[in-house]
Amino acid sequence: MKTHISFERLHDFRDMGGHVTEDGRTVRWGQVYRSGALSRLRDADWDRFLALGVRTVIDLRHGREIDAQGRVPEHPSFAYHHLGVGHRPDEDGDRELRRALELIAAEESGPVVFHCTTGENRAGLLAALVLALLGVAEADIARAGIAGGAGIAGADIAEAGDTGAEIAGAAFAGGFAVAGVTERYGSLRAYATRVLGAGDDLAAALRRRLLEPAAGAELTFRRGVEADVPVLVRLRDEAARWQIAQGIAQWKPGELGVEHFRARLADSELWIATLGQDGPVAGAWELWWDDPAAWGPQPPVAGYVHRLMTDRATAPAGTGRRMLAHAERRVRAAGRSLCRLDCRANNPRLRAYYASAGYEVVGEQPSKDGGVGGRFAATLLQKPVRDAAEAPRCGAGERRLRATL
């Protein structure tokens, strides 16, 4: 199983996806990474790192190591957390390890990378704890060499400057950290529970966020309610951060808050997609019954989809397309013949996505009022959702808009 991601300067950057739990579920790829010190990110490595869409960085080094080596460069697409952990987890670092687990489990954290200096010891112990709480057999964790000091090179120790003695000590002792924990507490899970306070609730949160859906898990759709508003704000901000990491100039974090989604509860429809009847939220969207800002005055023949959002940590492949299909069925059930949406004219990737779902470009709005997003040029797309025999009669001007509104 290939887990290493190639960088020119970074040491031991690994995706923790692909491990299989004892109940047969798989750890999701692209959601949690471990690494050596991220202060080495430069040039092409920096671009490659941002392309991963990381939204949370956890630095497990001591403050003096950060002073000597530097820290990850700042960027608006991710939050940085310093949680210094000692090399003897039974004596110090327990509170920091617990907090690191909470951050990894939090839905709003998005893709996470945690690191120490070399990526082998403190990062290795945290990686082993995460996998154990997810339900990966501890024998499999040991066989995979999740924690250990074998990968530490002389150059890494030399770069540590005045912390070299500490890093050298870690290189010698770190490989035995997991064995020491299991010998004293019986298992990684027991250590996490008894010492870190990582009980069933935290383990369940980790499993919800980091495991692929169980076989047969289906998406369930329901109307949004007031209690969903914080989730909708989070989904929108996460989507905005992902767009920034991908170099897409469209949404910005913090643009739409609770007031926006409460207003849509009152004047439109909010829809939520969950994994199973009571499972985690996988995505959401808004359905409007008119949209004069983009489409101008129109007869009541269409429904308008806005803010189609998926939770990249939860949603199975194809969730966006399935949400669109549900929106189309809702429009049809309302007796309307067209499902419409728009996207920024400078976003060809999104336009191609909608085209692949059967949406046809029918016009351009050169100056749409996007509210907090200001004015922008929008591409208008629509898809018939009723057969010709069912659709109400309308003129040619209603079937296809003018090239420019």
Side-chain angles (χ1 to χ4, degrees):
M1 180 172 63
K2 182 176 175 55
T3 62
H4 285 74
I5 297 176
S6 178
F7 287 88
E8 294 178 6
R9 293 177 53 85
L10 281 190
H11 178 82
D12 203 22
F13 195 102
R14 307 188 208 180
D15 190 328
M16 288 178 55
H19 294 278
V20 179
T21 65
E22 292 183 283
D23 58 358
R25 295 176 65 183
T26 302
V27 179
R28 295 171 64 93
W29 293 97
Q31 293 303 313
V32 59
Y33 306 93
R34 53 178 287 199
S35 176
L38 298 181
S39 53
R40 300 177 182 180
L41 287 168
R42 305 281 192 283
D43 305 323
D45 276 358
W46 178 238
D47 294 337
R48 189 174 296 117
F49 175 78
L50 291 179
L52 295 173
V54 167
R55 295 201 291 274
T56 302
V57 173
I58 300 172
D59 190 338
L60 301 173
R61 298 173 300 164
H62 291 296
R64 57 185 178 275
E65 294 175 89
I66 297 172
D67 292 341
Q69 302 166 18
R71 49 152 285 183
V72 65
E74 293 186 11
H75 194 271
S77 65
F78 61 78
Y80 172 81
H81 300 267
H82 175 217
L83 298 172
V85 174
H87 297 307
R88 299 182 64 184
D90 57 320
E91 292 186 5
D92 65 340
D94 298 335
R95 181 175 59 185
E96 290 77 9
L97 283 171
R98 163 64 188 246
R99 179 58 182 150
L101 290 170
E102 291 172 341
L103 285 170
I104 295 168
E107 292 185 6
E108 63 271 18
S109 294
V112 176
V113 58
F114 52 85
H115 75 92
C116 53
T117 292
T118 65
E120 293 290 338
N121 299 296
R122 288 160 287 182
L125 177 59
L126 180 55
L129 287 168
V130 169
L131 293 178
L133 289 169
L134 288 174
V136 177
E138 297 193 13
D140 292 341
I141 295 172
R143 278 194 293 270
I146 299 301
I152 297 177
D156 300 315
I157 295 173
E159 186 172 317
D162 60 7
T163 66
E166 181 173 331
I167 302 305
F172 177 78
F176 302 98
V178 171
V181 167
T182 55
E183 180 178 352
R184 179 165 182 175
Y185 297 100
S187 67
L188 286 163
R189 183 66 183 265
Y191 165 71
T193 302
R194 292 168 52 190
V195 179
L196 305 184
D200 292 342
D201 289 347
L202 183 51
L206 284 166
R207 287 172 63 85
R208 282 194 302 271
R209 205 177 88 70
L210 297 180
L211 295 183
E212 293 287 357
E218 293 292 334
L219 286 179
T220 298
F221 303 101
R222 61 173 175 81
R223 289 283 294 271
V225 296
E226 173 69 23
D228 294 313
V229 167
V231 176
L232 292 163
V233 174
R234 173 182 63 79
L235 282 177
R236 210 280 185 172
D237 284 349
E238 287 180 353
R241 294 188 186 97
W242 180 84
Q243 289 174 2
I244 291 170
Q246 302 301 310
I248 300 171
Q250 182 149 321
W251 292 353
K252 296 179 181 178
E255 281 182 325
L256 299 182
V258 296
E259 295 83 3
H260 168 86
F261 291 104
R262 283 175 176 159
R264 298 295 78 77
L265 279 173
D267 63 23
S268 305
E269 295 183 6
L270 292 177
W271 285 88
I272 307 292
T274 62
L275 285 177
Q277 193 68 36
D278 300 311
V281 172
W285 72 95
E286 299 174 13
L287 182 60
W288 301 3
W289 298 112
D290 64 349
D291 186 7
W295 294 80
Q298 294 287 316
V301 297
Y304 301 83
V305 174
H306 285 273
R307 271 165 283 285
L308 190 77
M309 308 176 290
T310 61
D311 188 328
R312 296 173 62 81
T314 303
T319 294
R321 187 70 62 84
R322 292 165 69 183
M323 292 195 302
L324 265 180
H326 189 278
E328 293 157 10
R329 292 194 296 271
R330 175 72 185 104
V331 171
R332 178 187 173 112
R336 302 199 177 192
S337 59
L338 297 169
C339 191
R340 288 173 171 167
L341 46 81
D342 69 86
C343 66
R344 287 182 183 257
N346 63 352
N347 192 340
R349 290 168 60 181
L350 188 55
R351 175 170 166 169
Y353 174 81
Y354 289 134
S356 70
Y359 284 79
E360 178 188 10
V361 175
V362 295
E364 298 287 337
Q365 167 58 271
S367 183
K368 176 185 174 180
D369 183 0
V372 293
R375 289 189 173 274
F376 56 87
T379 299
L380 308 179
L381 305 97
Q382 70 182 26
K383 177 181 180 179
V385 295
R386 301 179 72 186
D387 296 335
E390 297 178 289
R393 295 181 61 84
C394 57
E398 294 171 6
R399 291 195 300 269
R400 185 175 180 86
L401 300 179
R402 297 190 304 273
T404 301
L405 292 177

